[in-house]
Amino acid sequence: MMRNAVCQARWESKAVEGVKTVRDTALPSMRQNKQAESTDRQTVQPLVQVSRGAQNAQTQADKTPWLSEAEEAKLDTMRDAQSEIRGVLDTVLRQFSAPIRYAFAYGSGVYKQSGYGASKPMVDLIFGVSHPDHWHALNIAQHRNHYSFMGTLGANAVSFVQDRMGAGVYYNPFIEINGVVVKYGVVSMSTLSSDLLNWDSLYLAGRMHKPTLTLRRDPLMRISKQVNLTHAVRAALLMLPKTFTTEELFVCIASLSFTGDIRMRIGGENPRKVQNIVEAQLPLFKSRYTSIIEGLPNLEYIGQNLLQQNMAPTERASMLRKMPNNFYDRLLKQGRKAGIRLPPGFGAERVNTERLVEVDNIGQIATKAVESIVAWPALTQSLKGVLSSGLTKSVSYMRAKNSKYRNN
C-alpha cells in the first residue's frame, strides 16, 4: 500500500519515546448497545469539544493568534479576495432554480496554490441538497445541457448513480455560467453530514479539511464541519512526533484525503499538491484550526509556530477513542495485521487503544487505516466520472489536471 508520502515518511525515522502503560479509570465491562456507544463516542464527545471551540469562534474570525504581521496582512488580502469571489459565485448559484441547502467552493479555482502559472482553473463547487432525485429532475428540466447521456435516462437514473457509486457525489464539469467555468457536484445533505461525522469515505470530509469558501450556510453543517476538523487534527497527532511545527501539522492534515487516492499514484494529481496548498494558504489554515488546537487538552503552543502534544499513553488512547468508528475499526484491522494483540469485543476498546498508541509504528498504522477508507471511494468516484461527465469530458478533465502542473 502507498504510504502517506507527505506526512508519514517525514517522521518514519523518528523513534517514538518509550512509554509505560498507565491505566485510566475502569470502562464498563460490556456495551449493551453498540449504536448508543457509537453515538456517545463519536458525536457527544466531539460536540462537547466543538462547543468549547465555538465560544471563541467570532474572536478567532476577527484576529488569529500566532500569525506574524506579514501573515495577518496576507490573511486580510485573502479575505478580501474571498468576498470578491463569493460575489461572483453567488450570481452562479442564482442561475439554479432547484433548491440548494448548502454550498461551498474549494480548490485552486478559489484559493491560489503554489507551483501553478497564471492560467485560470475551473472552479469546484459542492451543492448539498435534501432530495437528490427531485433536485436532478428540476435541474435536468432547466439545464439539460449540463448533463451527459445520463440526463436522457432521467433524474432517477442520475440519482441512482450518485448514491450507489463512488462517494455519493454527482459532478457536472466544464459548465460555463455567467462567464465562469465550474464543476459542480451534487450530494445529499445526509451523505455529506455522515462523511463529516463518521469518515465514511473522506471524499468530501477530506476536501473540507482544507480551506473552503461557504456560499450557502446551514446551521447543522456548521457543527458537522467543526467535528470533522477536530477529527483531522487528532488523526494527524497519531502520525506526528511529540514536537512539530504548525506547517507540519497542516501538511499532515491536508494529505489525509490524498492517502490512497489512485490519482496520486498514476499521475492524475500534482505530486507536490499538498505542499503547494499549505504553502500558499498557510494563514487560512492557521485561522481555520487555531481555536481547535487551543481547545484540545493534549496539544499546546510552545512557540510562534511550534506545537507539542502529550505523548502519555492514556492521553493518546483517550484521544483515539474520540475518533469516528470507521477509522477506529480500520485501525484495529491494520494493527492486527502489524502483529499487535488486540482482543475482539466492545468492552476491549480501552485496552486496544492503549496498546495501539504504545507501538512505535502507530503513525504508519494510522496512515494505512486512512488509506483503506479513501482508496475504494476515490477509485469508484473517478470511474463514475465517465458516466456523469461522458467520455470526452472525462478525458479532457484528466488532461487539464496533468497539464496544469506539468506546464508550470
Side-chain angles (χ1 to χ4, degrees):
M1 288 187 178
M2 184 187 74
R3 285 189 170 182
N4 185 335
V6 178
C7 176
Q8 180 56 38
R10 180 178 297 190
W11 302 111
E12 62 183 350
S13 63
K14 292 180 177 285
V16 178
E17 295 180 339
V19 291
K20 296 181 179 180
T21 303
V22 181
R23 296 298 177 189
D24 207 339
T25 56
L27 182 72
S29 58
M30 286 292 291
R31 293 182 182 174
Q32 298 299 320
N33 187 304
K34 183 178 181 181
Q35 182 63 38
E37 284 296 318
S38 170
T39 302
D40 180 67
R41 176 160 61 81
Q42 73 178 46
T43 303
V44 175
Q45 290 174 339
L47 292 184
V48 171
Q49 183 62 53
V50 168
S51 65
R52 294 175 60 189
Q55 294 175 356
N56 297 323
Q58 186 59 47
T59 301
Q60 299 300 336
D62 296 334
K63 181 174 178 61
T64 302
W66 312 113
L67 283 177
S68 66
E69 289 187 6
E71 288 174 328
E72 285 281 6
K74 185 176 181 181
L75 182 60
D76 289 340
T77 301
M78 287 177 167
R79 285 174 173 164
D80 289 341
Q82 283 179 339
S83 297
E84 183 178 345
I85 295 170
R86 183 181 286 110
V88 172
L89 295 181
D90 279 343
T91 66
V92 171
L93 264 62
R94 287 198 290 269
Q95 303 307 308
F96 291 87
S97 298
I100 300 170
R101 272 185 59 186
Y102 177 73
F104 68 90
Y106 68 97
S108 58
V110 180
Y111 296 107
K112 180 177 175 57
Q113 297 177 14
S114 302
Y116 293 102
S119 59
K120 193 173 182 179
M122 182 166 53
V123 176
D124 295 308
L125 301 173
I126 291 293
F127 298 162
V129 305
S130 298
H131 306 288
D133 51 350
H134 177 62
W135 196 92
H136 286 297
L138 295 175
N139 200 48
I140 289 172
Q142 183 186 14
H143 298 298
R144 172 61 186 87
N145 61 316
H146 289 188
Y147 291 79
S148 66
F149 70 93
M150 289 295 301
T152 305
L153 301 179
N156 288 337
V158 171
S159 182
F160 178 88
V161 170
Q162 173 181 319
D163 293 334
R164 302 299 180 87
M165 297 179 63
V169 189
Y170 190 96
Y171 280 106
N172 285 325
F174 295 107
I175 308 300
E176 185 172 348
I177 303 175
N178 290 353
V180 182
V181 179
V182 304
K183 177 184 75 172
Y184 66 89
V186 181
V187 62
S188 72
M189 291 293 289
S190 59
T191 296
L192 175 56
S193 180
S194 182
D195 195 30
L196 293 174
L197 295 174
N198 306 319
W199 281 16
D200 299 323
S201 68
L202 271 174
Y203 190 83
L204 292 179
R207 280 154 177 75
M208 295 175 76
H209 291 160
K210 277 82 76 176
T212 59
L213 181 62
T214 302
L215 304 173
R216 294 275 174 86
R217 299 186 182 278
D218 181 86
L220 294 178
M221 198 55 58
R222 179 183 178 185
I223 298 175
S224 299
K225 286 165 56 180
Q226 200 77 351
V227 171
N228 178 47
L229 298 182
T230 304
H231 287 334
V233 174
R234 287 173 172 150
L237 292 180
L238 291 173
M239 304 173 188
L240 291 166
K242 182 176 181 178
T243 303
F244 48 89
T245 67
T246 51
E247 183 170 354
E248 288 163 347
L249 172 65
F250 300 143
V251 166
C252 202
I253 290 172
S255 68
L256 293 175
S257 63
F258 294 105
T259 304
D261 192 333
I262 190 172
R263 296 174 302 170
M264 299 299 289
R265 300 182 183 183
I266 63 175
E269 284 285 6
N270 186 340
R272 278 190 48 83
K273 186 177 182 71
V274 174
Q275 292 96 326
N276 291 341
I277 291 172
V278 176
E279 287 172 4
Q281 303 171 27
L282 187 57
L284 288 171
F285 273 95
K286 288 185 176 182
S287 175
R288 193 175 186 82
Y289 282 98
T290 294
S291 63
I292 295 174
I293 292 171
E294 294 184 337
L296 291 176
N298 60 322
L299 183 62
E300 63 178 347
Y301 281 100
I302 59 173
Q304 177 74 13
N305 290 299
L306 199 60
L307 290 162
Q308 182 172 283
Q309 63 170 313
N310 189 335
M311 300 295 285
T314 50
E315 289 292 330
R316 285 166 68 77
S318 175
M319 176 185 72
L320 177 53
R321 289 193 292 273
K322 296 171 186 175
M323 292 295 289
N325 271 346
N326 192 32
F327 175 81
Y328 172 72
D329 291 343
R330 290 169 186 265
L331 195 70
L332 286 182
K333 184 176 181 180
Q334 295 299 327
R336 291 183 179 118
K337 284 184 178 181
I340 305 172
R341 294 185 61 185
L342 301 170
F346 305 142
E349 187 181 59
R350 185 177 296 276
V351 172
N352 287 338
T353 53
E354 290 183 353
R355 288 183 180 179
L356 281 165
V357 299
E358 286 181 320
V359 298
D360 290 348
N361 61 335
I362 179 59
Q364 296 175 16
I365 294 171
T367 297
K368 289 181 179 179
V370 172
E371 182 178 335
S372 70
I373 296 173
V374 172
W376 180 249
L379 172 61
T380 52
Q381 184 69 38
S382 295
L383 295 176
K384 184 168 71 175
V386 178
L387 294 176
S388 62
S389 306
L391 182 60
T392 301
K393 282 188 176 180
S394 295
V395 172
S396 298
Y397 179 70
M398 291 303 298
R399 285 178 176 172
K401 294 286 284 186
N402 279 273
S403 63
K404 184 166 63 173
Y405 67 85
R406 291 187 189 277
N407 295 333
N408 292 292

